[in-house]
Amino acid sequence: MDTRSLCRMVNLLLCFMEVLGAASNDDGWSMKVQAEVRAMEGYPVVLPCSFTHPHHTLHSSLQVVWRLGHGQGSTVLYHCSSSTGARTCQPGPQQDQRYRLEGNPREHDLSLRINSAALQDNGRYYCRVEVPGHAHASYEDKMGTRLRVEAAPRILGLSVEGSEEAGYRAQCRVQGSPLPDVQWLGPDQLMEGSDISPLSQESLEQHYTTSQLRDVLPGQQYTCSASNPLGKDQATLYMLPPRQVQVSGEAPPLLLLLSLSLGFKVLLLLGVVVWLPQGGGPAWLRCWFK
């Protein structure tokens, strides 16, 4: 083989490798996210997401999507589109205002801001970018970002159930993340042992729990105390004694006193009505009754 033929083969090989490299770069997307982000309830939080790709996005249209969850059961939380040449990504008219882009997609930053984070925001989030008009020009991180919203304990309800025959039970429903530890304080002491039982953890994320205290006694005071590393909350319940049933037909003293007072006023009014026609009382009062 002569030198000319060898050079031609080398050039063909280099050209072929360049084509392969360009094809590889077409699929050479990369996306950088944070594995986990922690937030405080009621405060804003940012989920970082940035990407690189072989296409020029400065003069291309873009679409950005953020979803909670993966697959068919996921929920689209944010969606915006940027037309060719535009510097901003415009969300749709029905977009929830709690969500907005913190970054600029033109600078390959898709970071999402969530205002006033709530416990319901806990979950795994996925960001996605699309460049319409290019084959396979879309990318979504497969791992996602785990958002953990933490909250101080909050007692949502304190109640009593049961009867005098079966016994009374106090229930305390608590919210918090991490899940709060619940304790009961009886009259002058900490309640422990078999009298206390967790009834349920009512959320997949386990941010709600209900604790039950058995054999509570009428006329006593009980306190439910919930705590986690972020704080403490407590509520006190005073259980009234059962009503005393009136065995005799006599009215209670207060009702009797009110009845006597009302009867006295009626008799007084009747006396005035009878007295005035007979010429009694001042002249202005007699004229008013005529």
Side-chain angles (χ1 to χ4, degrees):
M1 180 180 298
D2 57 11
T3 304
R4 188 173 182 180
S5 299
L6 181 60
C7 291
R8 184 179 299 176
M9 290 184 62
V10 171
N11 289 334
L12 288 174
L13 180 60
L14 291 176
C15 183
F16 179 69
M17 292 178 63
E18 184 178 352
V19 172
L20 287 179
S24 176
N25 287 336
D26 283 342
D27 296 332
W29 290 78
S30 67
M31 186 167 284
K32 184 179 179 181
V33 299
Q34 196 165 322
E36 182 176 286
V37 173
R38 293 181 179 270
M40 286 289 296
E41 182 185 33
Y43 291 87
V45 59
V46 175
L47 306 181
C49 178
S50 60
F51 70 98
T52 59
H53 65 93
H55 301 294
H56 298 288
T57 59
L58 184 60
H59 302 290
S60 302
S61 59
L62 289 173
Q63 291 187 3
V64 179
V65 179
W66 274 90
R67 295 184 297 116
L68 175 60
H70 198 269
Q72 295 182 349
S74 64
T75 302
V76 175
L77 300 177
Y78 185 88
H79 179 273
C80 70
S81 300
S82 178
S83 58
T84 302
R87 299 294 301 176
T88 60
C89 195
Q90 295 295 331
Q94 303 301 322
Q95 176 61 53
D96 188 342
Q97 297 303 310
R98 278 212 314 139
Y99 307 97
R100 68 176 177 85
L101 280 188
E102 185 75 3
N104 184 353
R106 295 297 179 185
E107 299 175 358
H108 298 178
D109 189 352
L110 310 179
S111 299
L112 180 71
R113 177 187 176 95
I114 304 176
N115 291 317
S116 188
L119 289 176
Q120 293 77 8
D121 294 324
N122 278 278
R124 191 169 295 277
Y125 291 73
Y126 297 85
C127 64
R128 178 183 179 88
V129 60
E130 300 176 358
V131 183
H134 294 273
H136 310 293
S138 63
Y139 194 83
E140 177 178 315
D141 179 70
K142 304 303 180 184
M143 299 301 295
T145 298
R146 181 76 166 88
L147 175 61
R148 296 186 184 274
V149 181
E150 299 180 341
R154 184 183 306 152
I155 296 179
L156 303 179
L158 190 58
S159 60
V160 174
E161 296 181 354
S163 63
E164 189 173 3
E165 296 76 15
Y168 296 100
R169 304 174 303 278
Q171 293 185 2
C172 183
R173 187 166 183 262
V174 179
Q175 165 189 290
S177 177
L179 192 67
D181 177 53
V182 181
Q183 291 182 324
W184 288 91
L185 291 84
D188 305 325
Q189 65 177 346
L190 178 66
M191 310 293 292
E192 296 180 318
S194 60
D195 290 337
I196 303 176
S197 62
L199 285 183
S200 62
Q201 294 180 354
E202 303 171 14
S203 170
L204 295 177
E205 299 294 338
Q206 298 184 350
H207 300 133
Y208 302 86
T209 184
T210 301
S211 178
Q212 175 178 270
L213 177 64
R214 294 186 292 271
D215 300 327
V216 297
L217 301 175
Q220 300 294 333
Q221 179 175 293
Y222 300 91
T223 298
C224 174
S225 177
S227 61
N228 70 6
L230 300 178
K232 181 178 181 180
D233 191 20
Q234 65 180 27
T236 299
L237 171 72
Y238 178 78
M239 186 175 175
L240 295 173
R243 285 186 176 181
Q244 296 182 355
V245 181
Q246 295 291 333
V247 178
S248 63
E250 300 177 357
L254 179 60
L255 182 58
L256 179 60
L257 179 62
L258 293 176
S259 300
L260 289 176
S261 176
L262 180 60
F264 176 76
K265 290 180 180 179
V266 172
L267 291 176
L268 180 61
L269 181 60
L270 289 176
V272 170
V273 172
V274 173
W275 178 45
L276 286 176
Q278 298 177 358
W284 62 270
L285 187 59
R286 292 197 303 270
C287 293
W288 185 75
F289 269 88
K290 288 182 179 181

